[in-house]
Amino acid sequence: MDLLTFMQQMVNGFSLGSMYALIAIGYTMVYGVLRLINFAHGDIMMVGAFLAYAFISIFNLPFAFAVLLSVVISALVGILTDKIAYKPLREAPRISLLITAIGISFFLENAFTVFAGGIPRPFPVPEYMQNIFNVSGIIFSTSSIMVPIVTLVLLLAILFVLYKTKYGMAIRALSFDIKTVNLMGIDANKIISIVFALGSALAAVGGIFWVINYPSVEPMMGVLVGLKAFAAAVVGGIGSVTGAVLGGFIIGFTEVVVVAFFPDLAGYKDAFAFVFLIFVLLFKPTGIMGKDLEKSRF
Amino acid sequence: MFTKDRLINLSIILLAIWFTWFAQNHFEEYTVRIINNVAIFIILAVSYNLINGVTGQFSLEPNGFVAVGAYVTAILTVDANGMLYQYDIEDPYPWILALQTNFFWALIFSGIISSLLALSLSFPVFRVRGDYLAIVTLGFGFIIRILAINSPEITNGSLGINDIPQASNLYWTGGFAIVAVLVILNIIYSKYGRAMKAVRDDEDAAIAMGVNTFKIKTLAFTTSAFFEGIGGGLLAALLTSISPDLFTFLLTFQLLIIIVLGGLGSTTGAILGTIFVMAGLEWMRFLDEPMNIFGYETDGLPGMRMVVFSLLLIIVMLFAREGLMGKKELKDLFKKKKVDK
């Protein structure tokens, strides 16, 4: 194996890892405030990609505008799922929340299958995203440069919101104790809506990047990616945004590198994230950067 | 000797046996098939309920164990010629060809192998609790499916195994359903069952009271895996062809709806839930077909059933969280003023 292939795989892993990271941030934030594995999060990613597809190929909107619009609408969908399905269950045992989340996930998948059809559709990737650069033998596409950059910018933005703004302080307070936060005069439901909006917007960005790299849209696309991103969030330490990004990169790199150097294992590609997850949990049950959030259980 | 409870139980069992016999001999083929399905899903739901509802360990693994059971039964009952004929991707291993038993032992082996797998899995899995457990077991289901796709020498890969002898009939499915319900009820009312409920209600308190929670969880996990394996075997012999696509998360999701609708923790609820959900799924087939609503002709909407079903799950969770039975069993309904223990 030469350095060139190695560098090439690094580029690919970086790009894939960024997409997992973007989706993992949403998981980790929702888990941080509600202690809920939002199973519907992967499907929000699918919704984002689908909306972008619809705006571009049906309504002929320009790419950038379509992306912006679908990100905003996805954020609204995220808030809506919280208001409809999770808010009435705030005081309920956490298992009820989890089951509802699975229900929402299946609802989104099947509703899109019914009304948009289950057949994968080609995603219209704009010309300028398909440019290929060759830097001394390593092949870059526009998206493989853009994805990590946008991810890092968004990560910094999220960290800024979390640690430098009033809302961020409320979010962090919420992750300690939801009841006390209400007593302090903060509207917990509003803050939770903000968390869902931020997470869903990032998931939509991740979904659009995903279909730029693998240009086909279908209702079930969010399932596996979402689960791997969740595995990434747990590996990194759930509840920690930096941990989620780290976990996303680890899972992405593992997948790319193992497949590149052990082609025999390519068929098992989708299982790596989970095997890795089980190993990490065996040695560090809270993930790499995680705190013990498991004190209250359902 | 003949207390009121025992007489009620005995008459229910006799009624179930009589119904099995009557249905097998007098009902139409289509109805018998649905009842077969219901019986298999009763086995799956009741055993899933043991780990999920009674012990309170939110695991999402049954599709994995059902898959293992189905494949073991398929491999053990399809004869060598049939296997050589249909294994297209790779030739099967010689030892796979040599494995042959009759249907009964195939089912028992399915159960044993599933529960051995559960036993070995419980060591890593029960190191984590709560949500983490859900995601690890979910991952396990994925891993089983990916292994099945990538081991064509054993499972014929994504093509799956066809021409499995159709051995399942109501005597088998109904018989095993009765056995599974009896065994699981006996466990629930034993001292182990009380320990399981203690683990569900407060794990830390259970530890403080000297309950070996790992042992109790593992017991529930292996027992439920045993019957899920048998259920998988019965399913394989009913459908006569299996492939990895059969054992996706959708199967776990169906079982989850069943036990939540019936009431998490209630075996009676799991049985009622199975009957409602399976009958409902059959009945709601009209949703997938073209409809005439107030004079408007709609096209067929395949998948509408699942939309309605996921809505049903959400509505049950939002408005009737306890499900049909709550944590009560059938015999608790006859008692008055006695609180569920």
Side-chain angles (χ1 to χ4, degrees):
Chain A
M1 189 257 305
D2 55 322
L3 190 65
L4 204 66
T5 352
F6 183 73
M7 292 304 288
Q8 181 65 56
Q9 297 309 332
M10 284 290 127
V11 171
N12 296 348
F14 218 56
S15 167
L16 184 65
S18 309
M19 290 186 275
Y20 287 145
L22 277 175
I23 302 159
I25 292 175
Y27 274 113
T28 217
M29 281 173 68
V30 169
Y31 195 91
V33 294
L34 286 186
R35 305 283 186 276
L36 159 72
I37 302 176
N38 187 7
F39 273 104
H41 195 65
D43 301 296
I44 300 280
M45 166 209 155
M46 175 273 294
V47 171
F50 239 108
L51 289 174
Y53 163 82
F55 289 139
I56 296 170
S57 44
I58 300 172
F59 300 107
N60 288 319
L61 297 181
F63 182 73
F65 186 57
V67 168
L68 195 68
L69 210 57
S70 65
V71 168
V72 171
I73 297 178
S74 303
L76 291 179
V77 173
I79 297 175
L80 210 64
T81 57
D82 171 51
K83 293 272 184 239
I84 292 172
Y86 306 145
K87 195 177 156 209
L89 294 173
R90 291 272 197 268
E91 301 293 320
R94 277 164 55 207
I95 188 165
S96 312
L97 263 178
L98 206 57
I99 294 169
T100 320
I102 297 178
I104 291 281
S105 157
F106 263 74
F107 173 72
L108 286 175
E109 284 159 19
N110 287 299
F112 271 79
T113 313
V114 168
F115 296 112
I119 308 150
R121 293 145 185 263
F123 185 79
V125 182
E127 292 282 320
Y128 55 88
M129 296 295 275
Q130 289 172 319
N131 290 341
I132 301 281
F133 305 99
N134 190 334
V135 182
S136 58
I138 306 170
I139 300 193
F140 288 92
S141 67
T142 320
S143 64
S144 68
I145 303 170
M146 251 184 81
V147 177
I149 293 175
V150 173
T151 305
L152 290 177
V153 169
L154 287 176
L155 171 68
L156 290 178
I158 285 284
L159 286 177
F160 177 81
V161 171
L162 274 181
Y163 289 98
K164 298 285 178 206
T165 65
K166 225 170 60 182
Y167 289 115
M169 194 187 262
I171 293 173
R172 282 182 292 142
L174 213 59
S175 73
F176 279 105
D177 191 337
I178 198 160
K179 285 198 187 96
T180 318
V181 163
N182 270 322
L183 294 177
M184 305 301 277
I186 300 169
D187 184 355
N189 284 327
K190 198 175 121 194
I191 302 299
I192 291 172
S193 289
I194 292 175
V195 168
F196 268 93
L198 285 176
S200 304
L202 290 183
V205 175
I208 292 164
F209 278 145
W210 190 270
V211 288
I212 287 174
N213 276 284
Y214 310 95
S216 106
V217 201
E218 50 118 2
M220 299 291 168
M221 61 179 276
V223 183
L224 194 57
V225 187
L227 286 173
K228 283 188 198 167
F230 181 77
V234 179
V235 165
I238 196 140
S240 151
V241 172
T242 337
V245 176
L246 194 70
F249 280 128
I250 293 175
I251 297 285
F253 274 117
T254 323
E255 208 174 298
V256 166
V257 169
V258 176
V259 172
F261 299 131
F262 306 96
D264 287 348
L265 291 178
Y268 298 93
K269 160 168 97 70
D270 293 335
F272 292 150
F274 298 109
V275 176
F276 203 81
L277 172 76
I278 291 171
F279 268 106
V280 169
L281 289 181
L282 272 180
F283 296 111
K284 200 165 183 316
T286 53
I288 296 171
M289 297 184 69
K291 290 161 285 194
D292 190 9
L293 290 172
E294 272 289 291
K295 272 175 194 142
S296 59
R297 285 174 295 274
F298 51 74
Chain B
M1 175 133 185
F2 286 105
T3 57
K4 194 176 144 204
D5 271 0
R6 284 194 183 174
L7 279 177
I8 292 175
N9 290 347
L10 199 66
S11 46
I12 291 176
I13 295 169
L14 286 177
L15 198 71
I17 293 172
W18 174 80
F19 178 76
T20 311
W21 172 81
F22 184 79
Q24 178 71 40
N25 287 314
H26 292 84
F27 285 2
E28 291 169 43
E29 201 177 327
Y30 174 67
T31 325
V32 170
R33 200 179 168 83
I34 294 173
I35 299 175
N36 263 318
N37 243 326
V38 170
I40 292 174
F41 269 77
I42 283 178
I43 301 175
L44 300 180
V46 166
S47 50
Y48 187 32
N49 186 47
L50 183 70
I51 181 78
N52 218 345
V54 179
T55 319
Q57 302 302 307
F58 192 63
S59 70
L60 298 170
E61 90 302 338
N63 57 340
F65 291 138
V66 174
V68 170
Y71 272 107
V72 171
T73 297
I75 289 168
L76 288 180
T77 53
V78 177
D79 58 30
N81 284 334
M83 281 172 118
L84 277 175
Y85 173 70
Q86 56 173 298
Y87 274 48
D88 288 338
I89 303 173
E90 298 268 349
D91 280 339
Y93 290 127
W95 56 269
I96 288 281
L97 289 175
L99 291 171
Q100 286 294 314
T101 52
N102 62 22
F103 186 51
F104 176 75
W105 286 108
L107 286 179
I108 298 295
F109 277 122
S110 303
I112 291 175
I113 290 177
S114 278
S115 58
L116 284 180
L117 188 68
L119 185 67
S120 57
L121 211 71
S122 60
F123 291 100
V125 161
F126 289 128
R127 282 180 62 100
V128 292
R129 296 191 198 178
D131 301 341
Y132 291 95
L133 184 72
I135 205 76
V136 170
T137 46
L138 182 70
F140 159 73
F142 260 104
I143 293 173
I144 289 282
R145 231 184 103 230
I146 288 164
L147 282 178
I149 294 173
N150 287 292
S151 329
E153 303 90 346
I154 300 175
T155 62
N156 202 16
S158 51
L159 295 178
I161 302 174
N162 301 308
D163 297 332
I164 303 163
Q166 186 165 25
S168 280
N169 54 30
L170 268 183
Y171 300 127
W172 286 106
T173 55
F176 269 107
I178 293 171
V179 170
V181 171
L182 287 181
V183 169
I184 284 173
L185 277 179
N186 268 313
I187 290 178
I188 292 177
Y189 285 110
S190 71
K191 66 171 183 178
Y192 298 108
R194 284 193 293 277
M196 285 171 190
K197 288 177 186 168
V199 171
R200 167 186 70 193
D201 292 338
D202 192 331
E203 192 167 343
D204 295 321
I207 293 172
M209 296 306 286
V211 175
N212 185 345
T213 53
F214 176 76
K215 197 176 116 191
I216 290 298
K217 289 183 202 170
T218 308
L219 180 70
F221 202 47
T222 42
T223 313
S224 94
F226 182 77
F227 285 112
E228 274 155 11
I230 287 181
L234 288 167
L235 197 66
L238 181 71
L239 300 174
T240 69
S241 85
I242 54 172
S243 73
D245 282 343
L246 221 71
F247 309 107
T248 55
F249 184 59
L250 191 68
L251 183 67
T252 303
F253 180 66
Q254 260 188 23
L255 288 173
L256 192 65
I257 299 181
I258 286 173
I259 63 172
V260 167
L261 188 76
L264 268 179
S266 163
T267 307
T268 322
I271 297 170
L272 286 180
T274 314
I275 296 169
F276 274 100
V277 169
M278 300 306 283
L281 274 174
E282 264 331 294
W283 177 71
M284 285 203 290
R285 279 196 193 281
F286 79 87
L287 285 172
D288 286 2
E289 279 148 23
M291 268 185 286
N292 187 333
I293 305 169
F294 304 119
Y296 291 98
E297 284 288 330
T298 58
D299 291 335
L301 296 170
M304 199 61 198
R305 254 181 352 146
M306 287 319 292
V307 176
V308 174
F309 244 72
S310 32
L311 280 179
L312 187 71
L313 178 75
I314 298 168
I315 290 169
V316 170
M317 269 350 272
L318 291 183
F319 299 108
R321 214 170 300 144
E322 292 282 285
L324 288 171
M325 299 289 290
K327 284 173 187 158
K328 288 198 280 293
E329 296 293 355
L330 185 64
K331 70 175 195 183
D332 301 324
L333 292 181
F334 296 116
K335 290 175 191 161
K336 280 174 187 168
K337 283 186 188 170
K338 230 185 163 185
V339 196
D340 172 43
K341 279 172 213 158

